[in-house]
Amino acid sequence: MKSLFILLISVFIASGCATHQSPTGRGQVLLFSSQEINQMGEQSFAQMKQQEKISRDKKLVSYVDCVAKRVTAVLPDQSVNWEVVVFDSQQVNAFALPGGYIGVYTGLLKVAENADQLATVIGHEVAHVLANHSNEQVSRAQMTGMGMQLADAALGAGGVSNKDLYMAALGLGTQVGFILPYGREQESEADVMGVELMARAGFDPNQSMQLWLNMAKQGGDQGPELLSTHPSHSHRINDLTKMQAQVMPLYQASKGKVQNSCQKAK
């Protein structure tokens, strides 16, 4: 299997379609086009909306939408119209998908105590999309043989099979997301990019550390679903602490430009 894996990587690299760099300079293997990976995101999100209960609490939805819109408003690509859905579930979780989709579970709002802390999570999840982590995961799945049917479904016309594998490879934090979760390198990368996004959007990056402290209190040592494959709490908080000197000037510069104050629903 190891020899086959190396051979597959060599073939893909030789074909000229594999090597890329992430926004932080990390090497990536990306085998799918943006159109293909966005289609996967669209189909997975549609399935999520069918399977999960969607919140009808207008104040709550408006609050989450406000935070998400401020974060996505500072993204370099403004051609994407991001869809935000709040799922009525006790899961302490959130996700973002290629193609412009954000899902937030109501359970997260009990841990993210204010808009700044919610922006920490949304910024982190959107950063996964910006850094092509979904494409990277699906590509890894294909190269190891786990994603051949997934690739066939993605590239073919008509109905989509193996939807659970789609969702898992895209890194969704539901029960199927543990099959192919984002790696720790990707999670750390999303932390770095996400805290910069929230600062540019006018959210206090100091609150990012408090958010993860709150997370650490949930579910014992393992933490909630969102943290199942993430770096340790102390490692993550140390990294974010080091980032403060870099991102606080961005926050200070953005505060006067923010027009929409997102108030958490009572």
Side-chain angles (χ1 to χ4, degrees), residues 141-156:
Q142 179 169 333
M143 287 190 298
T144 57
M146 293 177 63
M148 295 306 295
Q149 291 178 320
L150 171 65
D152 289 340
L155 298 172

Side-chain angles (χ1 to χ4, degrees), residues 8-235:
L8 281 169
I9 292 178
S10 300
V11 170
F12 284 125
I13 292 177
S15 69
C17 64
T19 55
H20 298 263
Q21 276 196 334
S22 75
T24 62
R26 183 176 56 83
Q28 293 177 303
V29 175
L30 306 178
L31 305 181
F32 294 86
S33 69
S34 296
Q35 182 178 3
E36 289 161 351
I37 208 72
N38 287 349
Q39 182 186 9
M40 294 183 197
E42 179 183 2
Q43 292 164 339
S44 291
F45 200 63
Q47 182 181 358
M48 288 292 297
K49 290 192 291 185
Q50 290 178 349
Q51 293 181 345
E52 302 281 347
K53 181 181 179 182
I54 296 176
S55 175
R56 302 301 177 189
D57 186 327
K58 292 183 179 180
K59 290 184 178 180
L60 197 66
V61 171
S62 177
Y63 164 64
V64 173
D65 193 55
C66 177
V67 174
K69 282 184 175 178
R70 274 179 50 182
V71 172
T72 56
V74 300
L75 299 181
D77 183 2
Q78 287 297 303
S79 66
V80 179
N81 183 23
W82 288 79
E83 180 181 353
V84 182
V85 172
V86 179
F87 295 103
D88 190 357
S89 168
Q90 293 305 304
Q91 288 192 59
V92 180
N93 216 342
F95 62 86
L97 290 175
Y101 306 97
I102 296 172
V104 174
Y105 293 85
T106 54
L108 174 65
L109 302 179
K110 298 177 181 179
V111 179
E113 298 171 331
N114 52 47
D116 301 291
Q117 292 180 20
L118 178 58
T120 299
V121 180
I122 292 178
H124 172 94
E125 297 302 328
V126 169
H128 277 307
V129 176
L130 294 186
N132 292 311
H133 291 164
S134 299
N135 196 334
E136 192 175 4
Q137 290 299 91
V138 179
S139 299
R140 286 179 184 176
Q142 179 169 333
M143 287 190 298
T144 57
M146 293 177 63
M148 295 306 295
Q149 291 178 320
L150 171 65
D152 289 340
L155 298 172
V160 179
S161 60
N162 298 316
K163 289 183 179 180
D164 285 350
L165 186 55
Y166 260 112
M167 295 167 68
L170 287 168
L172 287 179
T174 60
Q175 61 271 24
V176 295
F178 296 111
I179 302 172
L180 294 171
Y182 288 128
R184 294 196 176 200
E185 280 188 336
Q186 294 170 322
E187 293 296 343
S188 294
E189 194 167 56
D191 277 347
V192 170
M193 296 174 62
V195 74
E196 181 175 330
L197 284 176
M198 69 176 292
R200 291 186 183 278
F203 293 105
D204 185 358
N206 275 315
Q207 287 291 315
S208 63
M209 283 101 68
Q210 185 59 51
L211 179 278
W212 296 119
L213 285 171
N214 295 348
M215 284 286 194
K217 298 174 184 177
Q218 296 294 310
D221 293 337
Q222 179 64 28
E225 295 91 340
L226 190 63
L227 303 181
S228 59
T229 59
H230 290 45
S232 67
H233 307 315
S234 59
H235 184 276

